[in-house]
Amino acid sequence: MQIGYKLMAEGFGPKEIIRQAVRAEQAGFDFVEMSDHYHPWLDVQGHSSFVWTVLGAVAARTERLGLATGVTCPTVRYHPAIVAQAAATLALVSDGRFTLGVGSGERLNEHVVGSPSFPDTAAERHERLREALEIIQLLWQGGYRSYRGRHLRLHDARVFDLPDQPPPIAVAAGGKRAARLAAEIGGGLFATQPRADLVAEYRRAGGGGPRYAEVALAWAPDEAAAVKAAWETSRWSVLGWKVMSELPNPVNFEAASATVREDDVRKAFACGPDPERHLAAVLPYAEAGFDRLALMNAGPDPDGFFEFFERELQPRLRAITPAG
């Protein structure tokens, strides 16, 4: 089992994100993963820095820490040729510590470029993602490459700086179709729910790579403070993926989450200082077969969480063995 730390790019500025990543390595985390967004979910979060710049700086400031995007959409806001170049460069400057996490995207971030528009159907988003991954892997083979798909094109392009081994690709899956795609053309699975059926589908389709998942926690010295902080910044996360993928701006998430109560957040996050509650939140993911767990702390005190992880949580998490 590897334990990671979610860099909350929407909640902190880029220099603070870099500091937290360095602290995460010191605290004993195996990897960090950072979202690739253009907007935050809510205006109150107030940040959304460029992931490739930040992770490049993290690579230069750390020695053993794994790095991952969690996740990049390589189909609208970026052309996959740009993602192929960016990921190859980050793999080089990190000495092979980078994993490219990819997904089909959210309207929140992808609509900003205006054209082409964000696809209306999940089926088209997955078609685009498959083509994007084919382009990325084609470019990582070296040489000048061209590609003509139903949705995406590549003309006479070459990535000149390539690592000896291309970075692994972890594909985000909210359903079985995406889990099969992760096995067929990716190198790993990425999920946000403890769903054993996704892991099973990934394995049935031939997937044998790492299986990443995010675990929602909120640490604070008392439960009420943890719940309050998680409600203020992260109540959008209880809306479900069908809502999260469709809304275009933070103001829409503000409206959609207006009826979310603190009790709803308390049910969705392991809140407070009790390590038993945090362990109880982690165990379903291990039992589902995930072996790379990124702890997403929505509490108000990152440094307090790092101390809690070192003192209370890490020794017990290390004793957990993922299913399968």
Side-chain angles (χ1 to χ4, degrees), residues 91-298:
L92 286 168
V93 300
S94 68
D95 294 320
R97 290 183 281 141
F98 176 64
T99 294
L100 174 61
V102 297
S104 57
E106 307 102 2
R107 196 177 301 273
L108 174 71
N109 307 297
E110 306 309 317
H111 83 279
V112 298
V113 295
S115 180
S117 60
F118 187 61
D120 291 325
T121 67
E124 182 179 338
R125 294 171 198 173
H126 283 103
E127 288 175 2
R128 286 175 174 265
L129 182 58
R130 179 181 288 275
E131 290 185 9
L133 294 179
E134 289 174 352
I135 289 171
I136 290 168
Q137 293 180 337
L138 185 66
L139 286 167
W140 285 351
Q141 293 174 22
Y144 285 93
R145 301 289 179 171
S146 297
Y147 178 98
R148 186 174 183 85
R150 179 181 177 188
H151 305 285
L152 300 172
R153 308 283 190 273
L154 180 74
H155 179 68
D156 210 22
R158 177 183 174 186
V159 176
F160 275 79
D161 288 298
L162 289 171
D164 293 335
Q165 294 293 328
I169 300 175
V171 179
K176 292 184 178 181
R177 177 170 50 190
R180 290 192 295 271
L181 177 63
E184 293 165 4
I185 200 165
L189 181 69
F190 191 103
T192 57
Q193 295 177 302
R195 289 178 53 182
D197 63 318
L198 295 181
V199 175
E201 189 68 22
Y202 172 70
R203 286 172 167 160
R204 271 196 298 269
R211 302 170 301 281
Y212 289 85
E214 292 181 353
V215 185
L217 311 176
W219 181 88
D222 64 87
E223 181 181 335
V227 172
K228 183 175 184 293
W231 182 86
E232 288 176 347
T233 64
S234 304
R235 61 185 180 275
W236 51 268
S237 64
V238 307
L239 298 173
W241 185 247
K242 289 186 178 180
V243 175
M244 290 165 58
S245 65
E246 296 299 336
L247 300 182
N249 281 305
V251 66
N252 305 111
F253 280 91
E254 186 74 39
S257 62
T259 60
V260 175
R261 304 164 301 169
E262 288 192 357
D263 280 347
D264 299 318
V265 170
R266 186 179 282 105
K267 294 175 184 176
F269 288 77
C271 296
D274 185 357
E276 296 298 332
R277 296 193 65 179
H278 295 276
L279 286 167
V282 166
L283 281 174
Y285 291 87
E287 292 168 353
F290 292 97
D291 62 357
R292 305 285 196 281
L293 301 184
L295 308 185
M296 185 177 70
N297 174 42

Side-chain angles (χ1 to χ4, degrees), residues 57-72:
V58 171
R61 295 280 304 277
T62 56
E63 296 179 355
R64 58 162 190 83
L65 195 68
L67 315 172
T69 49
V71 291
T72 292

Side-chain angles (χ1 to χ4, degrees), residues 5-44:
Y5 178 73
K6 174 77 173 188
L7 297 171
M8 302 288 281
E10 299 80 19
F12 303 94
K15 287 187 176 180
E16 171 61 14
I17 291 290
I18 295 165
R19 186 196 72 81
Q20 289 183 22
V22 172
R23 182 69 182 91
E25 182 175 63
Q26 295 168 348
F29 281 97
D30 299 303
F31 67 93
V32 292
E33 56 114 334
M34 179 177 170
S35 56
D36 187 350
H37 286 185
Y38 196 87
H39 290 146
W41 299 98
L42 300 173
D43 280 331
V44 70

